[in-house]
Each structure stands twice: as C-alpha cells, then as structure tokens.
Amino acid sequence: MKEILVFGHKCPDTDSICSSIVMANLQTKLRGMEVTPCRLGEINEETKYALKYFNVEEPRLLEKVEEGQIVVLVDHSEFSQSVEGIENAKIDTVVDHHRINDFRTSEPLFYYAQPVGCTSTLLFELYKLNNVEIEPTIAGLMLSSIISDTLLLKSPTTTLKDKNALEELAKIANVDINQYGLEMLKAGTNLDKYIEEELIHLDAKTVEKEDIKYVIAQVNTVSIPDVMKRKEKLEREINKEILAKGLSLFVFVITDIVNSNSEAIILGDRTDAISKEYEIKDNIAVMPGVVSRKKQILPLVEKNI
Ligand code: MG
Ligand code: MG
Ligand code: MG
C-alpha cells in the first residue's frame, strides 16, 4: 500500500502541525503501517516552542501531492487552504473543526467534524473511541493545539469539550496549563524576527467565493501599538499582495492575547464588508473583544461581501 500523508493547512498554526503529528501517531497505530505527518509551510515561533518543549521533530515539508496520493487532512478541508494537487489526491480521512466549503471527493471517506475549538479536541475523542492510549508527548502536543486555538480557553470558539480535553491531557503530560500555555502563546508573539512580507503571510487564510478572493490574516501580540509601529510597511506589503493575487479585500488582524482585543488593518476595494460593522479610520478598525477569525471576523465578511 502507498504511503499515507497527514497534513494541516497552509501557513500552518500550532493546531495544524501538532494535530498532524498526533493524527499520524493514531493512524499508524490503527492501521499498523507508517503514516507520515507533513507540513505545508514554515513553522511559527509558538509551534517551535511547543515542539521543543515536548522534544518532537518538525514534520517534513510537503510542496505538492501526486495524483492518487492517499491523504489525511486535519484542521482544514478547503482546497484553497490545502496542498498543491489536492484536487487529484485520494482524500481518505478528514478531521476538522471548520465549516465545509470548497470541498469534494470522488470516493467515500471518513469525515469527522464538530464545531469545537480545536482539531486536537476531536483527535482526543478519536483516541478514546478507538481505545488507544495517549502517551505523554502526544498529550503535550494536543494540549498545545487546544491552548493555541482557544487562546487558553478564552476564545468564543471554546467549548466544554475543549476544556475537558485540555484538563485531562494536562494530567497525562504533567504540565501546568496556565504556566505552560502563557509561555507558549508568548513565544508566538515574538514578531520582531519577521519582515513585513512574512508577517502578512504568517497565519493567512485565503477565501474564494465565486469571483471574489480575499485574505484574512492574523498575528498574536502582547502589544498592538508595537505592531502598529510597522503599519506603513505592512500596508505597502498588503497592497502588493492585493495587486499580485487580485484580492478584493485584505484584513490583517492584530490580536492582543492578554486583553482579548484586536485591531485590524483593512485594505482593498471591498473594505465596506468590514465598515458596515466597524468604523475604519486610517485603514484601521478597532475591534474590542474580537479574537476569533473563524467565529467573529469571517462570518462578518461573508455576510457583507
Ligand atoms: Mg488552524
Ligand atoms: Mg484549528
Ligand atoms: Mg488560529
């Protein structure tokens, strides 16, 4: 049988990387054959912190897949966020916590999705359903994903299942959730090492809807003004990207993970999709209490675009 590859979305976040490793571990055990975790891009500082802490290697970089390649998708299903060649791959399994859009297969598949805060919460359930023991390292990766996606359970995407999974995983991995979580999240706010061009791609989701294409990117920080010091340069890079990719809108969300607020730089022809709800001044919208792209920003843009 051909090698099976597991991967999350492009511009990988901690959930996409850690859930790929975890899912590969589970699938290897269930199938009795090697299943390989992969990544579709560079690993961010937050994820690096988690991998280093639990002493786990980075998954291998995957640039495209051949026709007929058997793949397992975690933390995404939209083809626009997946690997090059996905249209002609054989999608065997999906475990995800996002909406279903821009997705189809020619054959039946295992599709496991729930509106929870994190893919790893669903993987936690799959270990239980299959009676597979969770090793401490695997527990550490899963809890890192949950902390990252839910911002330490503060995001409105958080559910009771995420909370319960996190607590149980912390016992297995023997970590203090708040202490470890804050350190990990803070590691991800070290944005100085990135040039502006990298910053706007660090955690960027491209959405295509009929003939409209737009990007919602997000970075975490402990100081929004610190990031806003780079506004002019960021705007220049965003405008370049709008031209190069023919985007109607680019929303660059800067999220304060300590106070759970965001400010966004908004550029493009369709800034009206945001300005219907938030005042935009100097290309900036102040968004009190907003931390979730999926639950708070994406639905707003979808409704108005
Ligand atoms: Mg993700
Ligand atoms: Mg996720
Ligand atoms: Mg995220």
Side-chain angles (χ1 to χ4, degrees):
M1 202 181 174
K2 276 194 215 159
E3 181 187 32
I4 301 174
L5 306 177
V6 186
F7 47 86
H9 52 76
K10 281 181 195 159
C11 307
D13 54 11
T14 298
D15 187 24
S16 266
I17 297 295
C18 292
S19 286
S20 295
I21 301 169
V22 170
M23 185 59 165
N25 173 277
L26 178 64
Q27 293 292 312
T28 297
K29 286 180 172 158
L30 292 178
R31 295 176 195 242
M33 62 175 285
E34 204 58 44
V35 177
T36 312
C38 299
R39 60 184 166 93
L40 303 188
E42 289 312 308
I43 294 197
N44 68 37
E45 293 298 304
E46 180 194 278
T47 312
K48 270 185 197 159
Y49 180 92
L51 293 183
K52 200 170 164 213
Y53 190 94
F54 293 103
N55 199 13
V56 175
E57 265 179 52
E58 291 187 3
R60 83 166 192 239
L61 182 66
L62 184 67
E63 285 179 353
K64 60 174 182 213
V65 292
E66 303 298 328
E67 196 175 333
Q69 170 67 53
I70 304 171
V71 298
V72 173
L73 309 185
V74 292
D75 198 33
H76 78 297
S77 70
E78 296 194 38
F79 286 1
S80 60
Q81 293 163 14
S82 200
V83 74
E84 196 188 321
I86 189 68
E87 296 82 0
N88 300 313
K90 182 180 172 341
I91 303 171
D92 176 276
T93 301
V94 178
V95 181
D96 190 25
H97 65 126
H98 295 87
R99 66 174 184 177
I100 303 173
N101 178 48
D102 176 27
F103 179 81
R104 77 199 135 66
T105 60
S106 51
E107 286 176 57
L109 75 160
F110 179 92
Y111 200 117
Y112 194 63
Q114 285 183 47
V116 292
C118 179
T119 306
S120 275
T121 301
L122 301 178
L123 295 179
F124 175 75
E125 284 191 353
L126 290 179
Y127 272 85
K128 302 227 143 184
L129 281 172
N130 289 288
N131 266 318
V132 177
E133 194 195 332
I134 301 171
E135 301 150 31
T137 301
I138 292 298
L141 295 177
M142 281 198 256
L143 70 87
S144 299
S145 287
I146 297 172
I147 289 166
S148 171
D149 266 12
T150 66
L151 290 177
L152 256 174
L153 305 177
K154 282 195 295 187
S155 165
T157 55
T158 309
T159 66
L160 188 60
K161 283 190 176 183
D162 301 298
K163 191 171 171 283
N164 291 341
L166 181 57
E167 278 166 12
E168 199 170 325
L169 290 165
K171 279 185 204 137
I172 300 171
N174 192 24
V175 298
D176 179 308
I177 296 167
N178 285 309
Q179 194 189 345
Y180 169 76
L182 213 54
E183 285 305 312
M184 188 198 79
L185 289 174
K186 274 196 183 145
T189 65
N190 176 16
L191 303 176
D192 293 344
K193 60 164 290 196
Y194 299 107
I195 58 170
E196 287 72 19
E197 190 192 347
E198 293 169 324
L199 270 189
I200 65 164
H201 290 110
L202 202 56
D203 178 9
K205 290 245 158 96
T206 303
V207 182
E208 295 190 51
K209 193 187 168 192
E210 284 137 36
D211 53 344
I212 290 177
K213 194 167 155 186
Y214 60 92
V215 171
I216 306 177
Q218 188 171 29
V219 291
N220 289 344
T221 182
V222 286
S223 163
I224 292 175
D226 247 27
V227 183
M228 281 299 184
K229 277 186 202 144
R230 305 168 72 172
K231 179 172 175 272
E232 262 177 50
K233 283 184 181 166
L234 284 165
E235 287 182 349
R236 210 175 305 145
E237 288 306 324
I238 292 169
N239 280 323
K240 263 199 234 166
E241 190 69 5
I242 287 173
L243 270 180
K245 303 264 168 75
L247 303 174
S248 302
L249 175 70
F250 197 114
V251 183
F252 182 76
V253 186
I254 305 158
T255 299
D256 179 335
I257 56 161
V258 178
N259 300 303
S260 303
N261 288 315
S262 295
E263 288 185 21
I265 300 175
I266 297 159
L267 292 166
D269 294 335
R270 295 298 311 272
T271 55
D272 61 290
I274 298 284
S275 65
K276 279 189 185 143
E277 225 114 334
Y278 295 97
E279 186 191 7
I280 302 177
K281 224 169 147 185
D282 280 335
N283 304 327
I284 295 177
V286 176
M287 303 173 156
V290 170
V291 296
S292 169
R293 169 173 44 203
K294 188 193 338 196
K295 209 155 183 172
Q296 294 170 304
I297 300 169
L298 187 62
L300 164 72
V301 175
E302 282 280 296
K303 190 174 80 183
N304 294 327
I305 213 157

